Amino acid sequence: VSIAKKGGTYVFTGTGEDMAIAVKKEATKPATLLLCNLDLTSSFTAPITVKKNSSSTVTITALAGMESTLTDVEFNNADLYGDPTDDGGDGTNVEYAESAVIKGKDYANVTMNGNGTLNLNCATKNAVKIGEYGNLTLEDLTLNVTTARNGLSSDNTLTIHSGTYNITS
């Protein structure tokens, strides 16, 4: 699913394999992603990506009383399968490997909230990764993370207002 210029509010529910949600760099209006018992696995990239230089603010909301799970796989690891020059990978997934379950590239502004539960299963590097000049805000969320390396990573700011966070790395 690609979210372009107009932003908007989107409800995601059900089960998806080999799928991903991307807020495009052309997005200029706020985008809200409502997760409602979503079980989403991506075998090639981050299940949720906010593209580089997107000026949209993106809110990922776990709806009250609902439990959603986002999962990536080893093929999403840029160090192994990304650009041989930049990442040291073998180039087999150079176009898509993000090394995160939720990836906000440079300048991404992401808020994760809601009164539901969000589970992140990360086989690569970071459950949540925000690039340079980006902002990650967490509030009123129950977040359960199982990751190969880092639970939450931001190259700029990380603000936690409230919630329950269980991170195993």
Side-chain angles (χ1 to χ4, degrees), residues 99-146:
S99 298
V101 173
I102 297 175
K103 176 70 175 260
K105 295 194 176 197
D106 293 352
Y107 297 96
N109 291 301
V110 177
T111 296
M112 297 171 59
N113 66 14
N115 292 313
T117 299
L118 180 56
N119 304 309
L120 303 179
N121 299 314
C122 179
T124 57
K125 290 170 63 174
N126 305 289
V128 179
K129 172 65 175 172
I130 303 297
E132 290 185 345
Y133 313 107
N135 301 297
L136 175 61
T137 303
L138 304 173
E139 55 192 9
D140 300 331
L141 178 66
T142 298
L143 181 65
N144 299 312
V145 174
T146 302

Side-chain angles (χ1 to χ4, degrees), residues 63-74:
L63 292 176
M66 306 294 167
E67 184 170 351
S68 294
T69 302
L70 304 176
T71 304
D72 76 348
V73 299
E74 182 98 3

Side-chain angles (χ1 to χ4, degrees), residues 28-110:
T28 56
K29 305 260 194 249
T32 301
L33 314 178
L34 303 175
L35 308 184
C36 178
N37 288 332
L38 175 67
D39 187 359
L40 179 63
T41 300
S42 179
S43 64
F44 60 96
T45 192
I48 297 178
T49 303
V50 180
K51 298 294 186 177
K52 186 175 182 178
N53 297 326
S54 169
S55 62
S56 173
T57 56
V58 178
T59 303
I60 300 168
T61 302
L63 292 176
M66 306 294 167
E67 184 170 351
S68 294
T69 302
L70 304 176
T71 304
D72 76 348
V73 299
E74 182 98 3
F75 194 53
N76 183 35
N77 190 334
D79 290 346
L80 299 175
Y81 305 106
D83 187 313
T85 305
D86 293 343
D87 301 318
D90 68 6
T92 57
N93 194 17
V94 68
E95 296 293 322
Y96 301 106
E98 297 290 359
S99 298
V101 173
I102 297 175
K103 176 70 175 260
K105 295 194 176 197
D106 293 352
Y107 297 96
N109 291 301
V110 177

